[in-house]
Amino acid sequence: EFVAANTLVDILSGPLWATAVALIFSGWIQELGTVPYATLFWWLAIVSTWSGIATFIRYRYRRDPAPEANTRWPSTYTWLYALNGAIWGSITWLFWIDGNAANNVMLIMVALATSISYGFQLTPHYRTYLATTLSLHLLLTARYIVDPTGIGTVFIFLGPAFAVWVLINGKESSRK
């Protein structure tokens, strides 16, 4: 029930946050570079599609006469949020401009802020939190590995350490 209730917040706020992020990387702030509009559009479409899928799943969950007794719902929401983590982690691939340190660091900050927000929302359901956080951080770590600049070299150690730290704290928080 907890994750299902939280989904409404993400259905509504996800596209709004995604629009703000897309605007920031659209050339509005010159130091961050300009991501091609087609890339921004398709990423926004993917975020909006996730919201549509989440709306449908939430509708079906609400119509289930005994959702707590149905064992498929926890797995459904875990997969749904793992996809959400991958979508937000993908910005470090889609919006990354090689050689633009301001762009690279800002993308890392957006991804880490998203990771922290998952901690606030999802730790009571640790399995969902774990899947979501791992899907986001695996994409981040892969980006650090292939980054030809010093940013990736620094974060190749800090990023996974941060992921382990938030997962350990999330596990402890879920026990309370």
Side-chain angles (χ1 to χ4, degrees):
E1 176 63 31
F2 178 82
V3 177
N6 258 355
T7 305
L8 182 59
V9 172
D10 292 323
I11 289 167
L12 299 173
S13 68
L16 294 174
W17 280 113
T19 300
V21 169
L23 282 173
I24 290 169
F25 290 99
S26 69
W28 185 48
I29 300 174
Q30 291 181 340
E31 293 79 12
L32 299 178
T34 302
V35 174
Y37 292 135
T39 302
L40 297 169
F41 171 79
W42 283 110
W43 185 74
L44 285 170
I46 291 168
V47 171
S48 297
T49 300
W50 182 91
S51 288
I53 293 167
T55 299
F56 176 75
I57 289 170
R58 186 173 187 275
Y59 171 78
R60 299 285 299 168
Y61 176 85
R62 294 277 182 218
R63 293 200 42 132
D64 190 329
E68 295 82 17
N70 192 329
T71 58
R72 79 172 177 214
W73 289 120
S75 293
T76 300
Y77 276 102
T78 296
W79 282 105
L80 178 69
Y81 273 91
L83 178 59
N84 187 272
I87 290 167
W88 282 91
S90 73
I91 65 171
T92 58
W93 288 90
L94 298 172
F95 297 2
W96 193 273
I97 298 172
D98 286 332
N100 185 332
N103 165 280
N104 303 164
V105 170
M106 182 61 116
L107 286 168
I108 291 167
M109 288 173 46
V110 168
L112 293 180
T114 303
S115 173
I116 292 167
S117 77
Y118 292 147
F120 292 131
Q121 284 183 279
L122 300 173
T123 53
H125 195 289
Y126 187 73
R127 190 174 86 178
T128 301
Y129 174 64
L130 176 67
T132 305
T133 302
L134 283 177
S135 67
L136 183 139
H137 281 278
L138 286 173
L139 284 168
L140 282 174
T141 300
R143 172 34 88 188
Y144 305 147
I145 290 170
V146 300
D147 179 33
T149 68
I151 302 284
T153 306
V154 170
F155 279 96
I156 190 64
F157 299 107
L158 294 177
F162 179 77
V164 169
W165 179 74
V166 298
L167 289 171
I168 289 170
N169 281 298
K171 184 66 173 173
E172 287 303 311
S173 181
S174 72
R175 292 182 186 161
K176 295 179 183 176

